[in-house]
Amino acid sequence: MAVSFKEIYRDKSSGARTGELSTPHGMVKTPIFMPVGTQATIKAMTPQEVHQVGGRLVLSNTYHLYLRPGQDIVAEAGGLHGFMNWQGPILTDSGGFQVFSLGPLRKIDEDGVMFRSHIDGSEHYFSPEKSIEIQEALGADIIMAFDECAPYPCTHEYARQAVDRTTRWAGRCLAAKTRPDQALFGIIQGGEYRDLREKSTAELLAMNFPGYAIGGLSVGEPKDIMYRVLDYTIPLIPADKPRYLMGVGSPDCLLEGVARGVDMFDCVLPTRIARNGTVFVSSGKLVVRNAEFARDFRPLEDGCQCYTCQNYSRAYIRHLIKADEILGVRLTTIHNLHFILNLMKNIRKAIEQNEFIQFKDDFLSRYHFK
């Protein structure tokens, strides 16, 4: 089996757990946050820097790499590992979320999705088989089934049709897969509807995927709805399978997800807000580009051990960002990824010491991020 999962420790007061996810490119400890390298790069960082801040498993995007440079070029370079010089495990998403987020630029039928490139308007067609073909060429350790991500809000009938199509497409993805060194994860859909989440989970469990993602969340719904969906969906997934909550990366959601038994997360949030001059700190967010920091010579956060905080001040970083200097974005990105990955490290430690709930409550009592 290309990928296997072993639960190591379960918190006695919640669904939180630690585990080991074994892949062809190494073992990673869970719960884990995956930095997003949409186009085969974590924006503004080298692979070595990503590893230094604690990154162990990264995500790249099938849709974007298909459009440029093309999966054939990546395959010629030895797959994503060789192309981007990342020696650790890689996960590629199926392209489904990106295609479905194109709105009027795409048209769904039973076989797949016709869409227009956001780059040049050219027409392309993605089917489950095409998604698997591209992901096999990209060569990630974990690949994702092509699914239909229903929007929020949507009617029960729309969500039901999306679940049925997701199930049919999941079967086609399994049939199309040829590489034994890659693990294909199924994606549970169903919107905010409990009966549909249960239906989707049961149908995908019958296909015996080595891991399961919860899709269709963090798409605009209130957080309490997301947590409620996790409350009744996560317990349906067997304990020996990794559970992946797609597109979630704010510290409060990471803690709430872990509390419910999620093992894997990804999100562009830490790197995206860094490019806008915003950083995570223990009290929430700090918009370092604001004028109030022009003469603030403290680090972004006192006590932070990241390269940025050990060497540079808020005033200097603000100056770089206001002057559109590339270094400013590099420094905020290094800090934000260190913050999130260090949070995950401390979460794992708290679970193993059976102190997770106290850790979660203490963190959230200080943290305010809107």
Side-chain angles (χ1 to χ4, degrees):
M1 184 179 293
V3 167
S4 62
F5 177 80
K6 178 171 64 174
E7 182 180 290
I8 301 299
Y9 192 92
R10 184 182 291 265
D11 180 62
K12 294 180 173 60
S13 303
S14 71
R17 63 181 188 168
T18 62
E20 293 179 352
L21 182 68
S22 298
T23 81
H25 285 86
M27 184 273 289
V28 295
K29 296 180 179 180
T30 63
I32 191 169
F33 177 83
M34 298 178 282
V36 176
T38 302
Q39 307 200 68
T41 176
I42 311 300
K43 285 182 170 58
M45 296 184 71
T46 67
Q48 291 77 12
E49 289 169 334
V50 174
H51 191 271
Q52 285 167 4
V53 297
R56 296 295 180 266
L57 170 60
V58 301
L59 181 148
S60 282
N61 183 263
T62 294
Y63 164 82
H64 289 280
L65 293 174
Y66 160 78
L67 290 176
R68 59 183 179 195
Q71 69 272 20
D72 293 344
I73 291 176
V74 176
E76 281 183 41
L80 278 173
H81 293 93
F83 190 54
M84 64 188 287
N85 191 30
W86 175 258
Q87 305 308 313
I90 300 174
L91 181 150
T92 46
D93 64 8
S94 68
F97 178 78
Q98 284 70 31
V99 168
F100 290 108
S101 67
L102 291 172
L105 295 177
R106 52 90 170 143
K107 182 178 180 181
I108 308 169
D109 60 34
E110 181 55 33
D111 285 333
V113 185
M114 179 71 74
F115 64 94
R116 290 189 178 276
S117 165
H118 71 286
I119 299 170
D120 61 11
S122 57
E123 277 198 344
H124 303 268
Y125 194 83
F126 261 29
S127 64
E129 293 79 9
K130 184 68 173 179
S131 176
I132 296 300
E133 175 190 331
I134 298 167
Q135 292 186 83
E136 289 196 335
L138 296 175
D141 301 80
I142 300 171
I143 64 177
M144 303 303 299
F146 192 62
D147 63 324
E148 179 174 357
C149 180
Y152 177 86
C154 70
T155 65
H156 186 279
E157 177 59 19
Y158 187 109
R160 184 192 64 77
Q161 292 179 13
V163 165
D164 290 343
R165 185 174 284 121
T166 292
T167 298
R168 293 192 294 270
W169 285 0
R172 288 167 57 185
C173 286
L174 277 172
K177 181 180 180 297
T178 65
R179 288 186 59 164
D181 60 337
Q182 292 181 305
L184 174 65
F185 282 19
I187 303 178
I188 298 164
Q189 291 289 349
E192 61 180 301
Y193 303 105
R194 180 168 186 165
D195 62 322
L196 297 181
R197 288 285 175 179
E198 291 172 345
K199 169 183 165 67
S200 181
T201 305
E203 291 172 350
L204 294 177
L205 286 178
M207 299 183 193
N208 196 29
F209 288 95
Y212 292 90
I214 300 95
L217 293 177
S218 193
V219 293
E221 80 282 359
K223 290 180 180 179
D224 63 322
I225 290 180
M226 177 173 70
Y227 299 152
R228 187 168 71 244
V229 171
L230 293 176
D231 282 337
Y232 56 66
T233 303
I234 291 293
L236 303 175
I237 303 172
D240 63 347
K241 306 283 187 175
R243 306 150 176 170
Y244 167 25
L245 177 56
M246 307 180 81
V248 168
S250 65
D252 53 334
C253 292
L254 293 174
L255 283 159
E256 295 292 353
V258 168
R260 290 161 171 81
V262 175
D263 305 301
M264 303 166 63
F265 304 84
D266 82 280
C267 194
V268 298
L269 181 68
T271 50
R272 176 173 289 168
I273 67 170
R275 296 194 298 278
N276 294 326
T278 300
V279 294
F280 295 118
V281 292
S282 57
S283 59
K285 66 176 179 178
L286 187 149
V287 186
V288 72
R289 66 181 303 127
N290 285 354
E292 64 186 288
F293 301 113
R295 289 180 169 83
D296 191 335
F297 302 107
R298 294 175 295 168
L300 294 175
E301 176 148 54
D302 289 331
C304 178
Q305 296 301 305
C306 80
Y307 170 81
T308 301
C309 288
Q310 290 296 301
N311 291 281
Y312 302 102
S313 69
R314 297 175 178 184
Y316 179 64
I317 295 167
R318 176 183 184 272
H319 155 68
L320 294 175
I321 290 171
K322 296 297 286 185
D324 288 327
E325 287 288 347
I326 295 170
L327 181 59
V329 171
R330 280 178 40 74
L331 294 177
T332 54
T333 301
I334 288 169
H335 172 83
N336 276 356
L337 282 182
H338 174 273
F339 183 95
I340 291 295
L341 293 167
N342 192 59
L343 172 62
M344 300 308 294
K345 178 182 177 181
N346 288 332
I347 285 172
R348 293 192 296 269
K349 180 179 178 182
I351 294 170
E352 290 168 357
Q353 295 178 345
N354 206 40
E355 297 173 349
F356 172 72
I357 293 300
Q358 185 64 52
F359 176 86
K360 170 176 171 284
D361 291 347
D362 288 347
F363 184 95
L364 294 178
S365 71
R366 302 187 305 269
Y367 186 83
H368 304 282
F369 183 83
K370 301 299 183 183

